[in-house]
Amino acid sequence: MTYCLAIAVQDGLIFCSDSRTNAGPDRVSTYSKMHRFSVAYDRSLVLMTAGNLATSQAVIAHIQRDLEEDAEFNILKARYVADVADYIGELNVAEQARHKKPSGPGAGASFDASATFILGGQIKGHAQALYLIYPEGNYITASELYPYLQIGETKYGKPILDRIVRPDTPYETAMRCALVSMDSTIRSNATVGPPLECLFYRNDSLKPHARYFALEEHHPYLAKLRQSWDDNIREAFAKLPSLGEVIGEDD
């Protein structure tokens, strides 16, 4: 399991992902799920992955191969971010089908080969865009009402996004919100874990990224964020209206 999210605000796009691929009693594995493709002043794209690691790695490898071989279509030849989303959707479906073939890598095994992706960024001459690409190859975009997208273990980190994030939210606030969403998920699900990667692409900059950082499990900032969030939640809870007016005061 994994957790990745992206937020679209007026300032730009925020991407955040964990790096855990499995967590057992005697082994924890990590792998970056955030991939960047850019040409300065022409296009800047970020792709995050969740689901079957073999499928997502194969899709990333195919993207890289098409770039190296200057294929008839690759992400540097796309006119729109939506064209890239179509392309990744097709690669995703093809790789899943390859794993399911009797002669494929997954022959004789019973497992879920599906993968989902979040693609975001901007191509020169067009507005920034953000897409969630499903295993079936189709995709959706973020909206004004819900200006964020999630893949992987989404339920634990969703409430903070619903309460805080709006299209006009400042990017630094949105990045903190993404980290709290990520940390809330880590607290409730051991299959999601650091290092945490967080990236901000500034709207219309057409540069790789304006801000990027990675936080290990014991990074001082992550520790302060967790403690502050816990303390403030407890304080806010203590200030909630008493139930006395509903159930009556104790005798």
Side-chain angles (χ1 to χ4, degrees), residues 4 10 18 28 48 63 74-75 91 114 117 134 160 166 180 202 212 219 230 246 250:
C4 301
Q10 292 170 3
D18 84 314
V28 173
M48 297 189 296
I63 292 171
N74 60 49
I75 61 176
L91 293 181
S114 65
F117 298 82
Y134 291 108
I160 180 66
R166 300 291 183 270
V180 171
R202 188 178 296 280
Y212 169 83
H219 192 283
D230 287 349
V246 178
D250 291 335

Side-chain angles (χ1 to χ4, degrees), residues 116-138:
T116 54
F117 298 82
I118 289 178
L119 169 71
Q122 189 172 21
I123 294 175
K124 186 176 180 179
H126 306 286
Q128 66 179 20
L130 191 61
Y131 297 102
L132 189 160
I133 306 168
Y134 291 108
E136 296 78 13
N138 57 330

Side-chain angles (χ1 to χ4, degrees), residues 44-224:
S44 183
L45 301 168
V46 176
L47 182 65
M48 297 189 296
T49 67
N52 185 277
L53 190 59
T55 299
S56 60
Q57 285 183 338
V59 170
I60 297 298
H62 200 128
I63 292 171
Q64 295 284 11
R65 187 164 60 250
D66 284 349
L67 287 170
E68 292 168 4
E69 297 176 356
D70 192 28
E72 182 177 354
F73 179 90
N74 60 49
I75 61 176
L76 298 186
K77 295 179 179 180
R79 293 187 59 191
Y80 303 95
V81 180
D83 294 339
V84 182
D86 283 327
Y87 165 67
I88 292 171
E90 291 170 3
L91 293 181
N92 190 13
V93 170
E95 288 299 334
Q96 291 175 73
R98 187 173 70 88
H99 279 82
K100 293 175 182 177
K101 287 169 53 178
S103 58
S110 177
F111 63 90
D112 184 2
S114 65
T116 54
F117 298 82
I118 289 178
L119 169 71
Q122 189 172 21
I123 294 175
K124 186 176 180 179
H126 306 286
Q128 66 179 20
L130 191 61
Y131 297 102
L132 189 160
I133 306 168
Y134 291 108
E136 296 78 13
N138 57 330
Y139 53 82
I140 61 171
T141 187
S143 66
E144 286 284 317
L145 185 59
Y146 296 104
Y148 65 84
L149 297 172
Q150 302 169 284
I151 54 176
E153 185 56 87
T154 62
K155 57 183 176 291
Y156 302 109
K158 187 176 185 296
I160 180 66
L161 299 172
D162 286 338
R163 290 181 179 273
I164 302 297
V165 174
R166 300 291 183 270
D168 60 353
T169 300
Y171 82 87
E172 197 271 344
T173 301
M175 291 182 87
R176 280 186 288 144
C177 187
L179 286 171
V180 171
S181 176
M182 187 67 66
D183 186 63
S184 298
T185 304
I186 292 171
R187 178 71 64 90
S188 299
N189 191 322
T191 65
V192 177
L196 306 182
E197 292 186 84
C198 202
L199 181 151
F200 168 58
Y201 166 76
R202 188 178 296 280
N203 191 19
D204 291 330
S205 68
L206 294 174
K207 296 179 180 179
H209 55 267
R211 298 284 188 275
Y212 169 83
F213 55 84
L215 300 176
E216 298 289 344
E217 184 171 3
H218 301 295
H219 192 283
Y221 177 79
L222 197 53
K224 286 192 292 185

Side-chain angles (χ1 to χ4, degrees), residues 160 164 176 180 187 223-240:
I160 180 66
I164 302 297
R176 280 186 288 144
V180 171
R187 178 71 64 90
K224 286 192 292 185
L225 185 79
R226 287 169 175 161
Q227 189 62 56
S228 179
W229 182 245
D230 287 349
D231 291 345
N232 280 283
I233 284 180
R234 291 189 179 95
E235 182 179 347
F237 187 84
K239 293 179 179 178
L240 290 175

